[in-house]
């Protein structure tokens, strides 16, 4: 007699963003395996309304009270039973809820730190697409994962690739790894003359050649700050000395990352550039399920090329190693400064080339203070202090 299969309940944090939408697409292919428990969005009422009507989650969360009120009224008009919660603490509630089995952490930026920490402390299976949770949280975040007994599964295609190349027994990783290689497409400006970077517009920066992403992540990809944050994330996810993390430009986005073993064997994870693949792997680990991705047609590949990153064109990439060598909390400074700089660029208050200038200036002028890295409150206080400083610099640069 076959035992009944208990569907896994999932909270999707950031469900209206690119990762959230792709997660729901994968879930729709496996209604017998997964049940949507809660959804959240920052401000997209229309999109979250449509998702709630389709999935009928128990909870929907919007940190903005006014947006939550609009969603609540419209769901009531539709006769939906979904309960709408508002405020940032509600994100932590749906991440740590006792009825939740897994959490997709897809909120962009440092705002994802607190709910991801809540999921980790509650021992959930945490599918981490919010790299800033580790970049900001660092040792504090990884300790929460260990203390809570959580299962941490990376969703970034690069970190998922590394994870897929390693055995399940994490205790053997240090004995196997010589170094890892994170690949980067190089974005839309891989071959652009560095002297022309000041003229880049937000529309050009958001036009990624291989991936469909949100605007902030697209700009980070164009500056390679996205890869800088991934270097920091890899240091914590895999327990590696920063010197053991390399980055290579790989324009085709077919090899998603590689592990170079002690015997110099190279293990690589390959596939079409489709975020549903790492999402499906995180949902089903250690099994594998249909992700909806197309087959990689190796016979049609003309070439796979790799090249060093040009520091003149992508100076932001190299700030990752600088931040990791500095005092604890410096990665928080870098992340907060970059978020403010990218927001200013998207709103046409900074030039593209000034993003890096602002990030460097914040690293030069701000040092983490004693005790700021010992708690989430301290880290968020440091984050806020950096943002105030960055905003003042943006005003002076734009003058």
């Amino acid at each position: 007699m076959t035992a009944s299969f208990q569907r896994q309940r999932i909270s999707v944090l950031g469900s209206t963003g690119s990762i959230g939408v792709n997660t729901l697409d994968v879930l729709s292919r496996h209604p017998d395996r997964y049940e949507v428990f809660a959804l959240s969005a920052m401000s997209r009422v229309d999109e979250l309304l449509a998702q709630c009507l389709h999935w009928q989650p128990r909870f929907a969360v919007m940190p903005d009270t006014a947006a939550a009120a609009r969603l609540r009224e419209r769901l009531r008009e539709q006769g939906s039973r979904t309960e709408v919660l508002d405020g940032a603490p509600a994100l932590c509630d749906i991440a740590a809820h006792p009825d939740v089995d897994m959490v997709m952490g897809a909120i962009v930026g440092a705002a994802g730190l607190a709910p991801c920490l809540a999921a980790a402390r509650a021992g959930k299976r945490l599918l981490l697409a919010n790299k800033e949770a580790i970049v900001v949280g660092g040792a504090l975040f990884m300790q929460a994962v260990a203390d809570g007994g959580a299962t941490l599964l990376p969703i970034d295609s690069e970190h998922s690739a590394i994870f897929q190349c390693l055995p399940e027994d994490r205790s053997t990783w240090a004995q196997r790894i010589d170094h890892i290689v994170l690949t980067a497409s190089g974005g839309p400006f891989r071959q652009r003359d560095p002297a022309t970077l000041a003229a880049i517009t937000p529309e050009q920066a958001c036009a990624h050649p291989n991936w469909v992403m949100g605007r902030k992540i697209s700009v980070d990809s164009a500056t390679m700050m996205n890869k800088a944050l991934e270097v920091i994330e890899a240091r914590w996810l895999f327990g590696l000395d920063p010197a053991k993390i390399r980055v290579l430009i790989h324009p085709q986005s077919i090899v998603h990352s590689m592990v170079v073993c002690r015997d110099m064997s190279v293990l690589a994870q390959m596939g079409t550039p489709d975020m549903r693949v790492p999402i499906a792997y995180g949902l089903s680990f250690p099994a594998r399920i249909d992700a909806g991705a197309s087959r990689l047609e190796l016979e049609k590949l003309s070439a796979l090329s790799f090249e060093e990153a040009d520091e003149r064109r992508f100076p932001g990439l190299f700030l990752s190693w600088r931040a990791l060598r500095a005092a604890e909390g410096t990665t928080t400074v870098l992340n907060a400064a970059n978020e403010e700089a990218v927001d200013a660029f998207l709103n046409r208050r900074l030039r593209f080339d000034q993003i890096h200038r602002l990030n460097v200036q914040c690293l030069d002028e701000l040092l983490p203070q004693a005790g700021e890295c010992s708690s989430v409150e301290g880290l968020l206080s440091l984050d806020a202090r950096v943002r105030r400083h960055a905003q003042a610099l943006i005003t002076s640069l734009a003058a």
Side-chain angles (χ1 to χ4, degrees):
M1 189 172 177
T2 303
S4 61
F5 181 80
Q6 179 68 44
R7 291 197 300 169
Q8 298 288 291
R9 292 178 292 262
I10 180 169
S11 288
V12 183
L13 310 179
S15 64
T16 62
S18 175
I19 295 296
V21 169
N22 277 309
T23 299
L24 293 176
D25 181 84
V26 175
L27 294 175
S28 70
R29 299 169 188 277
H30 305 279
D32 58 324
R33 297 179 65 105
Y34 305 106
E35 173 186 345
V36 174
F37 178 83
L39 299 171
S40 86
M42 176 58 71
S43 58
R44 297 175 179 172
V45 174
D46 291 342
E47 290 92 333
L48 188 55
L49 172 68
Q51 290 177 346
C52 288
L53 293 175
H54 178 81
W55 291 97
Q56 294 296 318
R58 190 186 307 182
F59 297 106
V61 173
M62 301 198 80
D64 182 83
T65 301
R70 292 197 300 273
L71 177 66
R72 189 177 295 113
E73 180 59 28
R74 294 178 68 180
L75 283 171
R76 185 181 299 118
E77 292 171 354
Q78 296 289 333
S80 172
R81 295 184 177 181
T82 296
E83 181 180 351
V84 179
L85 308 176
D86 59 73
L91 293 171
C92 297
D93 294 339
I94 62 170
H97 196 287
D99 291 343
V100 168
D101 300 299
M102 62 179 73
V103 175
M104 168 56 78
I107 295 173
V108 176
L113 173 60
C116 286
L117 267 173
R121 289 167 174 160
K124 306 301 182 183
R125 171 178 286 215
L126 176 56
L127 314 184
L128 191 67
N130 172 259
K131 63 177 61 65
E132 291 86 356
I134 291 186
V135 172
V136 175
L140 182 72
F141 182 83
M142 296 307 294
Q143 189 61 52
V145 171
D147 292 346
T151 300
L152 180 62
L153 296 166
I155 299 302
D156 272 349
S157 59
E158 297 82 0
H159 301 102
S160 177
I162 298 296
F163 188 82
Q164 292 180 55
C165 290
L166 294 170
E168 290 183 35
D169 184 358
R170 293 171 182 255
S171 67
T172 68
W173 289 0
Q175 304 163 14
R176 292 171 178 264
I177 298 173
D178 181 80
H179 66 277
I180 66 172
V181 178
L182 302 177
T183 56
S185 71
F189 309 130
R190 180 175 64 89
Q191 296 179 312
R192 183 159 177 149
D193 182 350
T196 70
L197 295 180
I200 289 170
T201 67
E203 291 75 21
Q204 291 171 326
C206 291
H208 196 282
N210 298 337
W211 298 93
V212 177
M213 304 179 292
R215 283 164 61 80
K216 194 269 181 183
I217 297 175
S218 295
V219 175
D220 280 349
S221 179
T223 63
M224 287 273 276
M225 270 303 302
N226 192 48
K227 205 58 52 178
L229 299 178
E230 287 174 10
V231 168
I232 297 167
E233 186 180 5
R235 177 264 177 272
W236 292 107
L237 281 173
F238 306 111
L240 293 172
D241 185 289
K244 291 183 175 290
I245 306 170
R246 292 189 61 200
V247 172
L248 287 177
I249 303 293
H250 170 53
Q252 297 82 19
S253 296
I254 297 298
V255 176
H256 297 303
S257 278
M258 295 171 275
V259 174
V260 180
C261 302
R262 290 285 183 90
D263 62 1
M264 293 299 109
S265 298
V266 180
L267 307 178
Q269 189 267 336
M270 303 169 63
T272 54
D274 191 324
M275 283 306 301
R276 291 176 297 179
V277 174
I279 289 168
Y281 186 72
L283 287 167
S284 63
F285 175 80
R288 289 183 184 265
I289 58 175
D290 172 38
S294 59
R295 181 175 68 89
L296 177 62
E297 297 178 314
L298 292 166
E299 65 277 10
K300 294 184 179 179
L301 294 179
S302 59
L304 296 177
S305 60
F306 301 90
E307 59 195 57
E308 297 283 350
D310 182 349
E311 190 168 0
R312 295 175 307 148
R313 188 177 286 107
F314 302 119
L317 169 64
F318 300 87
L319 295 180
S320 57
W321 289 282
R322 171 182 169 179
L324 284 169
R325 289 192 300 267
E328 185 178 359
T330 304
T331 56
T332 304
V333 174
L334 177 60
N335 179 73
N338 183 65
E339 286 190 18
E340 292 300 319
V342 171
D343 181 73
F345 168 69
L346 287 171
N347 287 288
R348 306 180 192 277
R349 298 178 58 216
L350 276 188
R351 297 195 314 267
F352 183 81
D353 62 315
Q354 289 176 318
I355 295 174
H356 177 67
R357 178 177 169 184
L358 185 134
N359 290 340
V360 170
Q361 196 164 346
C362 285
L363 287 177
D364 287 343
E365 295 175 358
L366 296 175
L367 288 174
Q369 297 174 357
E372 282 185 317
C373 301
S374 60
S375 68
V376 65
E377 294 79 15
L379 286 169
L380 292 177
S381 175
L382 171 60
D383 178 86
R385 181 162 63 88
V386 176
R387 290 176 190 276
R388 289 192 298 271
H389 189 80
Q391 288 162 6
L393 291 176
I394 289 166
T395 299
S396 66
L397 286 169

